[in-house]
Amino acid sequence: MTFADLFHETIAALSANKVRTGLTMLGIIIGIASVISMVSIGEGAKKSIEGSIQGLGSNLLTVMPGVVQPGRAVVSAGRGSSQTLKNTDAEALRDIQGISAISPELNRRFQITAPTTGFNTNSTVIGAEPDYALVRNLITDNGSFITAPHLRGLGRVAVLGPTAATDLFGEEDPVGQSVRINKMNFTVIGTLQKKGSAGFFNPDDMIFVPLSTMQKLLSGDDYLSTIAVSVTDKDMMPIVQQEITALLAERHRVDLESPDFSVISQADILGTLTQVTTTFTLFLASIASISLLVGGIGIMNMMLTTVTERTREIGLRKAIGAKRRDINLQFLAEAVMLTFTGGLIGILLGWLVAFGVTKLGIVQTSVSLSSILLAFGVSGAIGIIFGYYPARRASNLSPIEALRYE
Amino acid sequence: MIEIKDVTKIYKTGDVEFQALYGVSFTIRDGEFVAIMGPSGSGKSTLMHILGCLDTPTSGTYFLDGKNVASLDDDALADIRKEKIGFVFQQFNLLPRTTVLRNVSLPLVYASVRGDERNKKVEKALFSAGFDRSHFLHHSNQLSGGQIQRVAIARALVNNPSLILADEPTGNLDTKTRTARL
């Protein structure tokens, strides 16, 4: 039997009962489409989280006061209340090899008003140094960021994140206008480009003032809430992380095993979040696989019905010279054709769903090549697995008994 | 050349045994036309099935062109059916919803005869069964009883078998209603 003949027979058999073929295929279509779309949603969520984390700054180490449990990372919001980091700590870190920039920071929430528009917002005010923009990957959209003279002269200047700018000034250009933070007037010298939220940390909704101004005028103390450290090379990160830990432990006179601060790398944060999204993807995919399994059982059911219905035909084929192998191949080809076509349509449908989800702005999805190949493989395999038993049953029929079958 | 000797066939259904053939022996030479007659239940069909290599005897030998086929396995029997035997069944057994052309080409599909050779053989068989081209694409369920019978005969003839077996073709085609050794 040639391939062309096999193909012809398969098409003829499947088109003989189009409704049944269509309904059986629908099971596979739904199964594959849900696997593709669910995995794409999971992958998309993972990618967007990775993107946000990377966007916070490249090769970033964050030193925070208090102990952050590894694996629970920055999610615990109450942290940072214990005040152990000081400006001198940040200065001391500058001696460590492999550090390209250091940004000591102090955050507080304040009520901020814009006297010209009358709008107000409750937002995080960050006392920052010029290097902040470098370390945290911030780009000014308009005006300039905090400069060294501002820092030295306790300048009452502020840089607004895009969300904060809109909240306070609407569509107006905030540069040159003034804002009131804690009953003090600050001149807006710049706004930042939109960066997107990273979930727990939204750099768009923040207001930046010189660190010195923050410590002396707004908070009244010389503690730091964070020291962000930018490392020159990604490979250097673990070494620099260790050195920072050692140095600060010595300065604070605490045991290395139980420090009063934490050094968190991006990898730690990323690791935790990736773990969450991987579990999430796996969960979605396993639910979708169940529908695929049900679709496969549908195929088997249809093939068994077909074999019974076509018993006489099988008998005839054997009588005129078809071997076991020929019959086996024919029924297997029908099952595989069903699942493969179903798989193809399912992939297209899944893709459309993923595309729709992205378009509707629910989650950014990403359909990966590997998930498409996997879906193809799985649908082919389902055809073979669930087609095998019916095909074997057909090929084992004795020609005479099959011809006598009513 | 068909040579059968002491062929018996016993059917078993659970514990019940039924003997259909009791030691049949005969020889049919090449080119002979032979009719097997007998009352119903006398084992004509069973004998036909054994002659047609659809079934194997319980005991005895069956030499077809000098080869003992009584002991061959399924696939080897399929090869013999494919190459040497044309069968016209009692019920004709055409494939439903399939064209006349496809029905007749079916034996050639399994015999791996392809392309022009296949087309020529199919046309020849259909012409000799009294069809013209206009019937070729008719579906088997659109045919009359006589036409169905002729398609079945064309299908039996298409691969030039050395043995044509017809099992009680009750219709009215006198020349072909017999077991024939061509």
Side-chain angles (χ1 to χ4, degrees):
Chain A
M1 203 170 186
T2 63
F3 182 75
D5 281 318
L6 184 65
F7 188 73
H8 182 278
E9 296 281 348
T10 307
I11 296 287
L14 289 181
S15 52
N17 199 332
K18 292 195 183 69
V19 176
R20 189 205 283 168
T21 303
L23 285 175
T24 312
M25 219 186 265
L26 196 61
I28 292 293
I29 293 173
I30 291 171
I32 291 284
S34 47
V35 169
I36 291 274
S37 52
M38 291 302 149
V39 170
S40 79
I41 288 170
E43 287 289 315
K46 195 185 205 165
K47 271 196 188 160
S48 83
I49 287 172
E50 278 171 11
S52 311
I53 301 283
Q54 236 99 56
L56 295 180
S58 47
N59 301 343
L60 190 67
L61 288 173
T62 313
V63 185
M64 293 169 102
V67 183
V68 177
Q69 300 260 327
R72 273 194 247 152
V74 239
V75 184
S76 90
R79 291 294 181 191
S81 43
S82 81
Q83 299 177 324
T84 53
L85 290 176
K86 294 188 170 181
N87 287 2
T88 47
D89 288 328
E91 289 312 313
L93 291 182
R94 290 190 199 276
D95 295 336
I96 294 175
Q97 286 271 313
I99 291 176
S100 64
I102 288 182
S103 161
E105 299 154 28
L106 176 57
N107 323 340
R108 282 289 151 84
R109 285 192 85 84
F110 286 108
Q111 190 71 22
I112 301 135
T113 52
T116 46
T117 57
F119 294 153
N120 67 83
T121 177
N122 189 303
S123 185
T124 305
V125 177
I126 297 182
E129 291 194 353
D131 273 352
Y132 186 96
L134 190 75
V135 173
R136 299 282 195 180
N137 271 352
L138 291 183
I139 300 158
T140 44
D141 190 29
N142 202 349
S144 68
F145 197 70
I146 294 154
T147 59
H150 291 139
L151 205 64
R152 278 196 300 274
L154 295 186
R156 291 196 188 185
V157 292
V159 176
L160 306 184
T163 313
T166 325
D167 285 350
L168 290 170
F169 295 99
E171 293 302 305
E172 280 179 53
D173 181 12
V175 178
Q177 309 221 44
S178 67
V179 289
R180 283 179 76 84
I181 305 171
N182 204 17
K183 293 169 197 149
M184 266 177 272
N185 276 321
F186 284 75
T187 313
V188 178
I189 54 164
T191 56
L192 297 176
Q193 259 182 20
K194 198 169 168 55
K195 225 178 146 186
S197 165
F200 51 91
F201 175 78
N202 186 358
D204 292 348
D205 187 24
M206 286 180 179
I207 292 169
F208 303 88
V209 297
L211 178 64
S212 51
T213 315
M214 179 73 173
Q215 289 179 329
K216 302 238 159 65
L217 301 176
L218 289 172
S219 73
D221 53 45
D222 61 349
Y223 290 106
L224 294 174
S225 51
T226 319
I227 305 172
V229 177
S230 184
V231 181
T232 47
D233 192 340
K234 200 172 181 151
D235 300 333
M236 295 280 286
M237 288 187 70
I239 302 164
V240 174
Q241 191 172 1
Q242 275 175 13
E243 284 189 37
I244 292 174
T245 313
L247 183 71
L248 290 182
E250 196 195 313
R251 288 181 59 86
H252 293 185
R253 297 197 181 80
V254 289
D255 190 7
L256 261 181
E257 301 303 313
S258 54
D260 57 350
F261 59 91
S262 317
V263 184
I264 300 154
S265 76
Q266 262 182 338
D268 296 340
I269 305 169
L270 210 58
T272 314
L273 291 171
T274 327
Q275 213 179 336
V276 173
T277 49
T278 307
T279 314
F280 173 66
T281 308
L282 212 64
F283 171 69
L284 288 178
S286 59
I287 289 175
S289 316
I290 292 171
S291 66
L292 200 56
L293 183 75
V294 174
I297 294 169
I299 297 269
M300 181 132 133
N301 190 14
M302 172 189 160
M303 292 310 295
L304 284 174
T305 314
T306 312
V307 169
T308 314
E309 265 181 7
R310 283 157 62 192
T311 302
R312 284 178 68 129
E313 180 195 322
I314 295 163
L316 172 85
R317 285 174 188 277
K318 289 195 112 179
I320 60 174
K323 292 186 184 174
R324 250 165 222 257
R325 205 182 129 262
D326 295 320
I327 301 292
N328 219 327
L329 208 63
Q330 188 186 337
F331 281 89
L332 216 50
E334 275 174 37
V336 171
M337 174 85 90
L338 262 180
T339 53
F340 216 70
T341 317
L344 201 67
I345 299 171
I347 287 169
L348 284 175
L349 194 70
W351 206 327
L352 275 177
V353 170
F355 185 72
V357 167
T358 308
K359 275 277 158 203
L360 290 173
I362 303 167
V363 182
Q364 191 76 27
T365 61
S366 99
V367 179
S368 63
L369 185 70
S370 62
S371 72
I372 289 177
L373 291 179
L374 189 75
F376 255 127
V378 166
S379 60
I382 283 176
I384 292 170
I385 293 165
F386 289 97
Y388 179 78
Y389 173 64
R392 228 179 73 102
R393 225 163 99 160
S395 67
N396 280 342
L397 287 171
S398 118
I400 303 180
E401 273 163 37
L403 278 170
R404 280 210 200 106
Y405 184 85
E406 288 302 321
Chain B
M1 179 90 162
I2 291 173
E3 242 184 315
I4 66 171
K5 214 167 199 174
D6 297 329
V7 163
T8 62
K9 180 72 188 176
I10 299 166
Y11 291 111
K12 275 187 193 165
T13 321
D15 290 338
V16 188
E17 283 194 4
F18 170 72
Q19 186 153 13
L21 297 174
Y22 296 86
V24 183
S25 303
F26 59 79
T27 305
I28 304 170
R29 282 178 300 279
D30 283 0
E32 245 183 308
F33 289 77
V34 175
I36 300 165
M37 287 186 288
S40 85
S42 61
K44 299 184 299 292
S45 288
T46 304
L47 185 57
M48 290 287 277
H49 291 150
I50 290 172
L51 289 178
C53 295
L54 288 170
D55 210 348
T56 49
T58 312
S59 71
T61 55
Y62 170 21
F63 283 92
L64 177 62
D65 292 335
K67 193 176 176 189
N68 187 4
V69 296
S71 55
L72 293 176
D73 66 6
D74 272 12
D75 281 352
L77 286 177
D79 277 332
I80 289 176
R81 292 199 290 269
K82 182 157 73 185
E83 280 147 25
K84 298 197 168 168
I85 297 168
F87 223 114
V88 184
F89 296 96
Q90 214 166 349
Q91 261 90 39
F92 308 120
N93 290 318
L94 298 191
L95 290 190
R97 297 176 300 271
T98 308
T99 61
V100 167
L101 203 65
R102 193 73 194 164
N103 260 298
V104 176
S105 16
L106 206 57
L108 302 178
V109 166
Y110 291 112
S112 296
V113 177
R114 44 195 104 163
D116 278 350
E117 198 192 348
R118 182 192 290 181
N119 294 340
K120 255 183 232 159
K121 283 188 162 180
V122 172
E123 277 184 16
K124 200 181 145 215
L126 278 169
F127 287 146
S128 69
F131 287 103
D132 55 53
R133 268 174 213 285
S134 63
H135 292 107
F136 283 11
L137 294 177
H138 283 190
H139 284 246
S140 49
N141 44 337
Q142 301 167 329
L143 301 176
S144 72
Q147 283 174 323
I148 289 176
Q149 197 172 18
R150 273 150 55 208
V151 173
I153 290 164
R155 188 178 62 194
L157 290 171
V158 72
N159 205 17
N160 295 325
S162 50
L163 174 65
I164 294 174
L165 296 161
D167 195 358
E168 287 185 41
T170 47
N172 43 13
L173 286 126
D174 49 339
T175 51
K176 282 154 189 161
T177 52
R178 57 193 104 178
T179 312
R181 187 85 161 95
L182 295 174

